[in-house]
Amino acid sequence: MMTNYQGNSSLLTLPADLDPQRLPQHVAVIMDGNGRWAQKRHLPRIMGHQQGVAALKELVRCCRDWGIPHLTCYAFSTENWGRPGLEVEFLLTLFEQVLRQELEELIREQVRLEFVGHLAALPPRLQAQIAEAVELTRHHERVWLTVATNYGGRQEIVQACQTLARRVQRGELAPEDIDETQFAQHLYTAASRDPDLLIRTSGEMRLSNFLLWQVAYAELYITDTLWPDFDRECFHQALRAFQQRQRRFGRL
Ligand code: FPP
C-alpha cells in the first residue's frame, strides 16, 4: 500500500502495554475530519480526503502488524450524496483511483477487500472495479478490509426486512422463524462478526447511521484527532482504552 511506517519503529510490533489475547477482532472506524484537516491548512477539502486515504492505508498495515483480523471503514454514506456535486465526484473518482493504484499491493499484502452498501447505485465503472478487487482478493486471510460505500445503517435494515418479507411471502420462512441470527444473516455484514470497537475521529459523538445493528455491544472510542492525523500511536491509545473497559454485554 503506501510507504513504510515512518514514525516510532517500536510501534511496528504490538506495544508492550497491550495484551495480545485481548485485542478486538473487528474494529470499525468513522473516518471524520478530513475537511477540517484541510481547512486548518488552507487547503481544498479534497486534499483532506487524499490524506485520509493515507491514514487508512497505515491503519490497515497496523492491523496486519498487530494481528487485528478485521477492519471496517465508513468511506461514503447514503447521506454523502447531499454534499456539493464536485466533492461527491471527487470522492467517487478517488475510490476508483485508490482501487487502481493499490490493488496490486493489496494482493501482495494478502488483504481481503469487501464492500458493503447500496453498491448498485454507484457509477458502473466503480462497480466493475469493486467487483474485480473483491474477486481477486476474496481468498486472502491476513487482514479483511470492509469498505462501507454508499452505506446507510437504516437502509441496510430496511433491505433486510424486504428480503425477509419476500421469503415469508414465498412460504420459505414463517414470521416466527425470524430471530436475531436470521435477521443478521440478511444484512450486508452477514459473513462477519460484529465490531468489538468503534472508533470515531474528530470529536463528534454520533453514530451517523453507521452499522446501527452491528455496534449494539461495541465499545465506543471517540477522539478529537482529525482522521488524517490518526496514526499508530492514536490507534495504540484507542486499543489501550478498549483493554481498560469491562465488556459486560448487559450482564453483571
Ligand atoms: C469524512 O470527513 C470523510 C469522508 C466523507 C470520506 C472518507 C473517505 C476516505 C478516507 C477514502 C477511503 C477510500 C477507499 C477506497 C477505501 P469530512 O469530509 O466529513 O470531514 P469534516 O467533518 O471535517 O468536513
Side-chain angles (χ1 to χ4, degrees), residues 134-217:
V134 169
E135 176 56 29
L136 289 172
T137 62
R138 73 193 167 97
H139 297 303
H140 294 164
E141 287 181 352
R142 193 101 180 255
V143 184
W144 179 0
L145 172 63
T146 301
V147 184
T149 311
N150 196 20
Y151 174 88
R154 288 184 173 182
Q155 183 268 336
E156 177 184 38
I157 288 169
V158 168
Q159 69 76 35
C161 291
Q162 289 173 345
T163 309
L164 282 162
R166 274 186 227 109
R167 293 192 59 196
V168 170
Q169 204 173 34
R170 288 200 297 262
E172 293 169 14
L173 203 65
E176 39 296 334
D177 292 337
I178 303 172
D179 57 10
E180 290 185 17
T181 309
Q182 179 69 244
F183 191 83
Q185 278 164 8
H186 290 79
L187 297 172
Y188 297 132
T189 52
S192 62
R193 57 180 277 159
D194 289 340
D196 307 297
L197 171 64
L198 170 65
I199 299 173
R200 179 167 190 150
T201 55
S202 90
E204 243 71 70
M205 307 275 181
R206 314 186 263 277
L207 288 178
S208 297
N209 206 11
F210 189 43
L211 301 177
L212 295 180
W213 172 280
Q214 297 86 341
V215 298
Y217 286 102

Side-chain angles (χ1 to χ4, degrees), residues 22 24 196-197 219 238-245 247:
R22 290 177 48 243
D196 307 297
L197 171 64
E219 293 297 324
L239 295 174
R240 263 173 64 104
F242 174 79
Q243 293 199 337
Q244 279 156 10
R245 309 263 178 98
R247 304 190 74 200

Side-chain angles (χ1 to χ4, degrees), residues 6 18 32 40 47 63 67 78 85 89 129 133 144 153 157 185 194 222 249:
Q6 305 285 314
L18 292 178
D32 198 12
K40 263 173 60 178
M47 291 193 70
C63 287
T78 45
E89 209 176 296
Q129 272 184 297
W144 179 0
I157 288 169
Q185 278 164 8
D194 289 340
I222 293 166
F249 301 96

Side-chain angles (χ1 to χ4, degrees), residues 31-36 45 49 52-53 56 74-75 80 83 87 91 94-95 98 147 227:
M31 311 181 287
D32 198 12
N34 292 346
R36 274 165 279 178
R45 288 175 55 83
H49 296 312
V53 173
L56 176 61
Y74 204 4
N80 284 154
R83 293 190 174 208
E87 184 167 338
L91 277 169
L94 180 69
F95 298 162
V98 170
V147 184
W227 174 251

